[in-house]
Amino acid sequence: EGRKMMGDMFFFFFSAAILLARDCNGLAKVVVVGATGRVGRIVVKELLDREDVQVRAVVRDEEKAKEVLPSSDKVEIWSNVKLTERASVNEVCEDCASVIWVASGLTQGGGTPFSRLGTLLGTVLRSPKDSFDAKALRLLGQAVDASPNTNARVVCCSSAAASRPAWSQDKKTKFPGAADIPIVRLNDKLKLLDIKAAAEDALRHSCGRYCIVRPTGLNDEWPRGRLVLSQGDLAVGRTNRADLAQLLVQLALDVDPSYTNGLTIEAFTLANYPAPRELEPILSRLTPDHELLNVNHQQDADSVLYNLLQQLVPGETMAPNQLAMGQTYENLDNKETGRLGERGAEKLPSFIETTSSS
């Protein structure tokens, strides 16, 4: 309720901020860091499907970007951005509507197997707090936080299980299906999840205008569907990359920042379910990081379960409380009156009317 009220109160300022982040052609400028990656390419495509968006593609290899990204006057390729230098980061973020991070420091060593191996070895030996990801996200967060556009935010694609290596042994024993899985066991050798966790923390401490998304295993063969959002880093499963890209863009551009700022969520694809028409009702039931990370905060188990189960409701509208008696979820999606009439004015069968009045 409080977050919804906040969204209503700041509607005017939200609209004004959108205008501030547009160029002279009326295009909202979105920075995509890691645009040539498998998720990044789909993010760029999602953005270009919108008429009012200009993409700043931050890439390592300009030639590869020209090969794999669409040729469009709405795509600017930025290949010389030094993401660990403040001036360079500030330049690419100037007047941006949002930043979408779909990069990884493991790609910074170049394209050859030898250079990538060198980068990987350096990552293992270096403290996660000193990783490329942590340094870059810290500066990106600070650049966005200083922006006069109050709608600007950083949407960071991280990874499910990022926090699990740091769980207590009791918690690992309690949730083996989340803690004793390959990506967590691999972390002992490569520190990949430690790097993700440190990068998340760097972003959290750099600004309040962020939303961190932790997808479960990315799998293009898994059918598209509905992304189920949760918190607590317990999610396990598969995520379709196209579903993830769509979510990242929606969080960056479509949702009032009062619903996304300071939020960390996990996501997995519920195959063949329709995507929700609106994210706000789902996001409004989630808890900001500053509350979740408070040692005195205790999540209401019923509220957590309710939030999860409400995301499994059939249809796209996902509002069972709006159903009339005799109306299907499909009727509701298509704004069709159910077989018994409008909600609150249903014409019940005579035998039910007779029974209820006797």
Side-chain angles (χ1 to χ4, degrees):
E1 289 291 336
R3 301 190 81 185
K4 179 63 173 68
M5 184 178 298
M6 185 183 298
D8 294 338
M9 288 174 59
F10 288 102
F11 176 76
F12 172 79
F13 300 101
F14 175 53
S15 302
I18 292 176
L19 294 174
L20 282 173
R22 297 183 185 276
D23 64 14
C24 59
N25 296 315
L27 301 179
K29 291 169 281 191
V30 179
V31 177
V32 181
V33 184
T36 57
R38 295 174 70 181
V39 176
R41 299 177 205 180
I42 309 174
V43 167
V44 171
K45 181 180 182 302
E46 280 281 334
L47 290 167
L48 292 180
D49 284 344
R50 301 173 177 233
E51 295 181 355
D52 59 347
V53 172
Q54 177 91 29
V55 177
R56 289 180 177 173
V58 178
V59 302
R60 175 178 50 82
D61 187 332
E62 183 174 357
E63 292 306 313
K64 179 181 178 181
K66 291 178 179 178
E67 291 177 9
V68 303
L69 296 181
S71 177
S72 170
D73 57 3
K74 295 200 300 179
V75 177
E76 300 174 358
I77 297 176
W78 292 56
S79 59
N80 296 316
V81 180
K82 296 178 172 59
L83 288 169
T84 57
E85 295 183 10
R86 187 180 302 278
S88 188
V89 170
N90 289 347
E91 180 183 4
V92 75
C93 290
E94 184 178 4
D95 298 330
C96 72
S98 284
V99 175
I100 301 177
W101 170 277
V102 281
S104 171
L106 293 179
T107 65
Q108 293 301 304
T112 68
F114 180 78
S115 59
R116 287 181 182 271
L117 177 61
T119 300
L120 183 60
L121 289 173
T123 300
V124 172
L125 297 174
R126 188 186 304 120
S127 167
K129 293 182 180 180
D130 296 325
S131 69
F132 170 85
D133 299 51
K135 292 178 179 178
L137 278 167
R138 183 179 296 109
L139 291 178
L140 285 166
Q142 290 171 352
V144 168
D145 209 40
S147 170
N149 172 16
T150 57
N151 178 50
R153 70 202 81 169
V154 180
V155 177
C156 170
C157 181
S158 181
S159 172
S163 72
R164 296 176 206 174
W167 283 2
S168 68
Q169 189 56 51
D170 286 345
K171 188 171 183 178
K172 291 178 180 178
T173 302
K174 185 177 182 179
F175 302 115
D180 192 14
I181 60 175
I183 190 173
V184 179
R185 295 196 296 271
L186 184 63
N187 187 70
D188 291 340
K189 299 182 181 297
L190 297 182
K191 299 184 181 179
L192 299 181
L193 295 177
D194 290 345
I195 292 169
K196 294 290 186 183
E200 289 183 5
D201 283 342
L203 178 59
R204 289 190 189 98
H205 289 102
S206 69
C207 74
R209 304 185 201 172
Y210 70 84
C211 182
I212 296 169
V213 180
R214 296 167 167 173
T216 56
L218 299 176
N219 189 313
D220 292 332
E221 300 302 318
W222 190 247
R224 292 203 63 174
R226 175 184 300 169
L227 281 178
V228 176
L229 308 182
S230 64
Q231 294 182 291
D233 203 10
L234 292 164
V236 178
R238 291 174 176 164
T239 302
N240 181 285
R241 283 185 174 85
D243 290 334
L244 173 62
Q246 183 180 57
L247 175 67
L248 295 173
V249 171
Q250 289 173 327
L251 292 172
L253 292 177
D254 297 342
V255 180
D256 187 295
S258 64
Y259 292 99
T260 60
N261 284 349
L263 198 66
T264 299
I265 54 179
E266 290 80 54
F268 66 89
T269 295
L270 190 61
N272 299 317
Y273 259 57
R277 290 183 178 174
E278 296 183 0
L279 286 175
E280 283 88 346
I282 299 170
L283 297 171
S284 67
R285 294 191 289 263
L286 301 178
T287 306
D289 288 347
H290 72 270
E291 294 183 26
L292 283 177
L293 298 176
N294 186 331
V295 295
N296 296 317
H297 175 79
Q298 291 185 336
Q299 284 188 284
D300 175 14
D302 288 340
S303 295
V304 173
L305 183 60
Y306 174 79
N307 180 39
L308 177 61
L309 295 180
Q310 284 290 296
Q311 294 184 67
L312 305 183
V313 170
E316 300 173 358
T317 307
M318 297 171 59
N321 55 302
Q322 295 180 16
L323 286 170
M325 289 180 281
Q327 185 182 32
T328 66
Y329 289 103
E330 291 73 22
N331 290 152
L332 187 62
D333 286 344
N334 297 322
K335 298 183 179 179
E336 299 170 345
T337 302
R339 59 187 175 84
L340 299 179
E342 298 288 346
R343 185 181 186 278
E346 296 97 329
K347 295 181 180 179
L348 302 180
S350 57
F351 73 91
I352 295 180
E353 295 283 8
T354 303
T355 303
S356 62
S357 61
S358 62

